[in-house]
Amino acid sequence: MTGPDRRSQVLARFAQVFGGEPSHWVRAPGRVDLMGSHTDYNQGFVLTMSIDRDIWIVARPRPDRVVAIDSINLGERVTFSLDDIQRDPAARWGDYVKGVAHVFQAEGYALHGFDGVIHSTVPLSSGLSSSAALEVATAVLFRDLGGWAIEPLQVALLCQRAENSFVGVNCGILDQYTSVHGRDGCAVLLDCRHLTGQATAIEPGIQVVICDTRFKRELSGSEYAERRAQCEQGAAILAGHHPEIRTLRDASLDQLDAHAGDLPDVVRRRARFIIEENRRVLDLAGALSAGDRAAIGALAAASFAGARDLYEISVPAMESMMAAMLGAPGAIGARQAGAGFGGCMVAFVERDRVGQFVPAVRDAYRQSTGREPHVYPVSASAGAGVLAPA
Ligand code: ADP
Ligand code: MG
């Protein structure tokens, strides 16, 4: 959908639902991790990229303390009072907006009621973090309506808190950080302990392509919690020998090997994946900016092999997609994205071959699974902010 079409669609929806025109326009992007699966909650590194798919909220302040918000994507509306914020199991999506309101209010920020319309080009529940985009867009809107200033990092942290404590998803900081701090035209090397990001170039001949398996990530909630607990257990056992180890970010493969017998087998495999994956993040940052195709391919392949064999977050649809991506013209490397268990994957492709890569992946994946994938190039877009009115 082109920019003007999208603008007319949200304006028409706003006029239809609330009458008149919105006065505030904000946006927040989705993201894709180029390397670093499950490293964020181990306080490690992630090479992340905010993408040119985003959530828009267009809004107009209300005189009262009511928030009325309509999602074009879902065709549903949620209304609540800022003086009585309650979860609603019948409209879970509203909890992301309410959670942000709840957390920012608890921190002392003055919030304003509004009528708003959401429109998103981030696919929902596919691993590109539509949830963080929704939270961050909501926060930016409250900030602008309230006229207060806030540090960008604080926005990311409070949105993460909203998802952790109000929505009830125990996510790390990756998604919210990227939606706030994403950079136009480059990836970001995120240090999840120090919460610092370093802009990282991608050699211009390399195109990032999202390959969505469209296999729903159903197990991801419980499996995610289990992986987190296993990582914590691994770090705690290693800390018994090396007190400086606070999380797996601090552990080396040598330390893991030296104490392998102390760790249950499954915990040892989880820990090995995280320690290796963390190293791959730093290596991929160098390889992507240098355009070292062989290194990119090898690092991405090792990441997927570890995700499948050690961290066990792969499903058959992802293996079919890996084969489709690697067999397509122009493929440099490919791996999982997001938390795994289906959803989106990511490929690094020769820019001048993308036109052949995309249909080849579609055909191969369709043939092996009977499922129609979504395959599309993405580029790095700026982090969340105000969207200039048309
Ligand atoms: P992901 O963040 O990978 O897209 P999640 O399961 O974390 O997947 O978050 C998806 C949820 O976020 C949706 O089920 C919905 O509740 C909410 N959400 C995301 N985008 C929208 C939208 N455009 N309109 C309404 N709710 C949305
Ligand atoms: Mg999410």
Side-chain angles (χ1 to χ4, degrees), residues 129 131 163 175:
S129 199
S131 59
E163 185 151 344
D175 302 351

Side-chain angles (χ1 to χ4, degrees), residues 3-187:
D5 290 347
R6 204 174 167 195
R7 282 176 190 269
S8 16
Q9 193 184 349
V10 295
L11 282 172
R13 181 73 179 180
F14 194 91
Q16 179 201 344
V17 176
F18 300 112
E21 284 189 9
S23 51
H24 289 66
W25 295 64
V26 297
R27 66 170 284 278
R31 63 98 190 93
V32 62
D33 50 304
L34 304 180
M35 187 63 77
S37 294
H38 294 258
T39 46
D40 69 339
Y41 54 78
N42 287 293
Q43 296 188 5
F45 300 103
V46 188
L47 189 62
T48 179
M49 186 174 107
S50 49
I51 58 176
D52 51 346
R53 292 205 159 215
D54 56 9
I55 286 193
W56 288 6
I57 306 180
V58 300
R60 184 177 58 204
R62 289 173 60 120
D64 56 16
R65 302 254 306 144
V66 169
V67 169
I69 189 150
D70 180 273
S71 167
I72 294 182
N73 302 89
L74 298 181
E76 288 178 21
R77 197 173 325 151
V78 162
T79 304
F80 64 98
S81 165
L82 290 168
D83 297 321
D84 181 26
I85 303 178
Q86 307 286 343
R87 290 176 192 82
D88 180 1
R92 288 262 300 150
W93 69 271
D95 292 354
Y96 293 88
V97 176
K98 293 173 182 173
V100 170
H102 175 78
V103 165
F104 278 72
Q105 202 154 246
E107 284 291 301
Y109 293 98
L111 303 191
H112 227 288
F114 66 85
D115 291 327
V117 167
I118 300 170
H119 181 264
S120 178
T121 54
V122 187
L124 276 70
S125 307
S126 297
L128 301 183
S129 199
S130 66
S131 59
L134 179 53
E135 292 149 12
V136 170
T138 302
V140 171
L141 178 63
F142 276 127
R143 181 197 71 189
D144 290 356
L145 291 172
W148 28 267
I150 182 169
E151 286 295 317
L153 183 57
Q154 188 68 358
V155 173
L157 288 167
L158 293 180
C159 286
Q160 181 199 14
R161 190 188 300 172
E163 185 151 344
N164 291 167
S165 68
F166 195 90
V167 179
V169 176
N170 199 16
C171 59
I173 189 62
L174 168 66
D175 302 351
Q176 293 81 6
Y177 184 96
T178 312
S179 190
V180 170
H181 294 268
R183 301 279 294 256
D184 191 8
C186 55

Side-chain angles (χ1 to χ4, degrees), residues 239-317:
H241 302 280
H242 305 278
E244 73 281 7
I245 295 179
R246 287 190 279 147
T247 65
L248 289 179
R249 177 225 174 96
D250 304 309
S252 67
L253 282 181
D254 284 346
Q255 289 169 329
L256 180 65
D257 289 340
H259 307 291
D262 293 4
L263 280 75
D265 176 61
V266 64
V267 173
R268 188 167 62 238
R269 286 185 291 122
R270 304 299 189 242
R272 173 170 295 279
F273 173 75
I274 294 296
I275 296 168
E276 290 178 347
E277 182 82 346
N278 231 359
R279 179 70 240 171
R280 284 190 286 264
V281 173
L282 303 174
D283 292 345
L284 186 72
L288 264 186
S289 55
D292 182 344
R293 270 81 174 154
I296 295 167
L299 289 164
S303 178
F304 181 72
R308 183 191 56 208
D309 303 334
L310 298 175
Y311 219 65
E312 296 179 283
I313 53 172
S314 185
V315 291

